[in-house]
Amino acid sequence: MNRLSIFATLAALAVTAHAYAADAPTLTPELQPLDIASGTWQYHGENLATADQKAGKWTWLEECEWSANHAFMSCSFTMNWPDKVVKSQAVSTYNYSDKSYWHYEMFDSDNGGADPFIARMTIAGNTWTHYGNADKKTYRVIYHYVSPTQVTVRIELSSDNVHWATLAQGEGVKDVRATMRNSNR
């Protein structure tokens, strides 16, 4: 192949790549805060001993990416709790009608399929808080993004929405290598 044809091929690729990038959907300002979750995350933490649970260590694998229309941050979880494995699919988005964030999570096991976790979500800086009900109890899940590659998580329970007891706490680290592999698919 001569130099002219190599140059022509590279120029055509550059123009095509630029045109493709121009057609890629951009995130609205309301959805931009959700972008920090994209990627593959490895979590580890512990359940605290309460009247309803034993103390124990847990790990999660979370894989998050934007939906094709860039309206939903979709996350697949495999949660290895001390006594069972729970898989879930979570979707977070912004609702333009009520001007708030929402988190929807469906579960495949432990009879949770009929009882998804639906939570209004607040985002204040780098802290996401999901407020919702499950198993006839009020929960909040608090994610605090310490950096683009590190997050802490805390799960709390309340009977009066004023006093909160911590049930579990841990931290997650973004697996940058896995995130890069997944983005190249």
Side-chain angles (χ1 to χ4, degrees):
M1 196 183 248
N2 65 32
R3 288 187 178 162
L4 184 58
S5 60
I6 290 172
F7 177 75
T9 301
L10 291 174
L13 287 173
V15 169
T16 303
H18 180 71
Y20 177 75
D23 290 342
T26 57
L27 297 175
T28 64
E30 295 83 3
L31 290 172
Q32 286 175 359
L34 298 176
D35 195 48
I36 197 168
S38 64
T40 300
W41 295 82
Q42 300 284 340
Y43 284 82
H44 65 276
E46 65 179 330
N47 285 353
L48 305 178
T50 68
D52 296 328
Q53 74 181 12
K54 294 179 185 178
K57 303 283 185 193
W58 51 260
T59 61
W60 298 349
L61 170 64
E62 177 189 30
E63 297 174 284
C64 298
E65 64 184 2
W66 284 103
S67 61
N69 60 12
H70 281 71
F72 305 95
M73 175 57 67
S74 180
C75 300
S76 177
F77 285 88
T78 301
M79 298 174 279
N80 295 293
W81 294 104
D83 59 343
K84 63 187 168 188
V85 175
V86 175
K87 295 178 181 176
S88 72
Q89 183 69 35
V91 176
S92 298
T93 192
Y94 184 79
N95 182 306
Y96 293 93
S97 296
D98 67 11
K99 298 188 181 349
S100 63
Y101 292 92
W102 285 89
H103 175 86
Y104 307 89
E105 192 163 358
M106 294 87 39
F107 302 91
D108 79 328
S109 57
D110 197 29
N111 298 321
D115 190 19
F117 182 70
I118 299 172
R120 183 178 291 261
M121 183 169 79
T122 61
I123 295 180
N126 289 330
T127 302
W128 299 10
T129 306
H130 308 161
Y131 294 91
N133 298 302
D135 303 323
K136 299 180 180 150
K137 298 175 184 172
T138 302
Y139 291 90
R140 71 179 176 191
V141 182
I142 304 165
Y143 291 88
H144 177 71
Y145 290 90
V146 178
S147 74
T149 59
Q150 184 181 4
V151 62
T152 62
V153 63
R154 194 170 65 245
I155 302 171
E156 300 177 336
L157 174 68
S158 178
S159 58
D160 61 6
N161 293 330
V162 175
H163 302 93
W164 295 89
T166 301
L167 300 177
Q169 58 192 15
E171 67 177 27
V173 175
K174 186 181 277 191
D175 184 341
V176 178
R177 288 174 291 164
T179 299
M180 287 176 21
R181 275 191 311 271
N182 293 340
S183 68
N184 290 329
R185 287 184 191 168

